Amino acid sequence: MARLISLVEDESPLLRAVMAALSPYAGHARVVGITGAPGVGKSTTTSALVAELRRAGHRVGVLAVDPSSPFSGGALLGDRIRMAEHSLDPGVYIRSMAARGHLGGLAWSTPQALRVLDAAGYDVILVETVGVGQSEVEVAALADSTLVLLAPGMGDGIQAAKAGILEIGDLYVVNKADRDGAHQVARELRTMLSLAERRDGAWSPPILLTSADRGDGVESVVESLDAHHSWQVEHGELGRRRTRRAREEIEAIAVSLLRHRWAGVGGHRGLGELAEAVAAGDLDPYAAADRLLDDPDA
Ligand SMILES: Nc1nc2c(ncn2[C@@H]2O[C@H](COP(=O)(O)OP(=O)(O)O)[C@@H](O)[C@H]2O)c(=O)[nH]1
Ligand SMILES: [Mg+2]
């Protein structure tokens, strides 16, 4: 599995065969995305959720997605320490994955890594994203259920609104409930969520409090995730989300294939001539691009 996920990280040409072989075995796992600002307790919560889900008999996969890998080795190291209690449990698989900086990298790589874990029989997969940039929010939103984590004393209210996480949460967890201000964060969040527009009959996201480092409240988080899952199955929402995830994956693969096909465009023989014509003002750049695309092998 580690090797297969490395193939995803490396964008290996072997993936085509790997995904074809794995697809018949995938499609069973429940995917839970976990997002929130650095330091709110995502890894601690993930680890506590793993323990709780194991007690409920699940095989659990954890995928820590790091979109900015060169800069956050420290964060992942810390995560490894927090997950260490599960490292000897064969029913748990934990992997961090770096995504290359290229366009659509996360939309491209996350579903493929999920497919590896899914096909291997991990029936619940937790995806922890590092940071709350737009791409991390998008990755979390690729999940069946998205858990947004906040904590007191971090100016989260403003951060939450900024990163658009008020739109994506299926479940909000205010962690570090042992600290002052947790109830205040929950209150502010409740107000903000009540102002957000929701369709009639839409899922109404619960707000829970936890102290993840002691495991307090984590059982309720699992119960809420189960409730959301049942609701999605009942309302056909699970199928819709998975179709959306597949759609983004297909698009990302198609774009990546196009990019590869055109990687040699810089060496295109006609490009030099077209460039001279554009520079001299004899041809406009759109017309030049059209010519390049019309005759890619010239
Ligand atoms: N007081 C308190 N500290 C916590 C709690 N959960 C996590 N922490 C601490 O918060 C820090 C960041 O946790 P971590 O899980 O690495 O956050 P992440 O960056 O979101 O993954 C660590 O020092 C944790 O021990 C909690 O419930 N209460
Ligand atoms: Mg972490």
Side-chain angles (χ1 to χ4, degrees):
M1 278 174 53
R3 283 191 196 163
L4 291 175
I5 294 177
S6 294
L7 294 179
V8 175
E9 285 184 311
D10 296 343
E11 227 180 298
S12 165
L14 292 172
L15 282 176
R16 193 177 273 271
V18 169
M19 290 302 140
L22 293 184
S23 281
Y25 301 98
H28 307 292
R30 269 171 61 188
V31 180
V32 178
I34 299 169
T35 195
V40 291
K42 293 183 295 298
S43 299
T44 311
T45 300
T46 300
S47 187
L49 282 172
V50 169
E52 196 62 39
L53 289 162
R54 287 297 288 150
R55 270 194 284 279
H58 294 288
R59 294 186 73 212
V60 188
V62 176
L63 191 65
V65 180
D66 184 355
S68 53
S69 54
F71 309 109
S72 49
L76 288 178
L77 182 68
D79 289 355
R80 244 171 262 142
I81 294 163
R82 278 182 268 289
M83 306 276 179
E85 61 170 304
H86 304 294
S87 61
L88 294 175
D89 181 347
V92 179
Y93 185 82
I94 298 169
R95 176 68 145 85
S96 59
M97 184 178 70
R100 306 280 172 253
H102 64 63
L103 192 71
L106 291 171
W108 182 90
S109 56
T110 306
Q112 303 206 57
L114 288 174
R115 190 171 293 107
V116 172
L117 290 161
D118 184 355
Y122 293 92
D123 59 308
V124 180
I125 305 174
L126 308 175
V127 183
E128 178 189 343
T129 56
V130 177
V132 277
Q134 200 49 47
S135 56
E136 292 87 336
V137 166
E138 279 161 19
V139 167
L142 288 177
D144 298 332
S145 300
T146 303
L147 191 160
V148 173
L149 209 62
L150 300 103
M154 305 190 68
D156 285 296
I158 298 147
Q159 279 180 35
K162 249 192 207 160
I165 60 181
L166 287 176
E167 283 86 56
I168 63 157
D170 298 305
L171 185 61
Y172 291 86
V173 174
V174 180
N175 187 40
K176 308 195 186 184
D178 52 292
R179 292 205 181 155
D180 287 345
H183 285 90
Q184 176 66 19
V185 172
R187 261 197 307 278
E188 283 173 19
L189 188 62
R190 194 164 294 121
T191 306
M192 284 196 275
L193 286 174
S194 69
L195 297 173
E197 275 184 43
R198 288 188 189 275
R199 281 176 289 114
D200 283 346
W203 167 259
S204 147
I207 301 171
L208 303 172
L209 285 130
T210 58
S211 293
D213 59 351
R214 303 178 200 165
D216 291 351
V218 176
E219 204 180 328
S220 307
V221 175
V222 170
E223 281 167 15
S224 283
L225 287 171
D226 287 343
H228 182 239
H229 180 73
S230 303
W231 184 90
Q232 284 187 306
V233 170
E234 228 168 87
H235 292 78
E237 183 60 28
L238 190 64
R240 274 196 289 278
R241 275 214 197 174
R242 290 185 175 178
T243 303
R244 191 176 73 195
R245 186 156 84 220
R247 186 194 175 98
E248 296 202 9
E249 182 183 15
I250 297 166
E251 274 181 11
I253 290 175
V255 168
S256 159
L257 290 175
L258 281 175
R259 208 181 45 237
H260 281 286
R261 198 174 291 175
W262 282 91
V265 88
H268 187 283
R269 269 174 278 146
L271 182 58
E273 275 171 40
L274 291 169
E276 281 171 23
V278 170
D282 296 334
L283 189 67
D284 75 82
Y286 280 91
D290 282 341
R291 282 196 208 171
L292 200 61
L293 292 174
D294 286 345
D295 189 11
D297 301 317

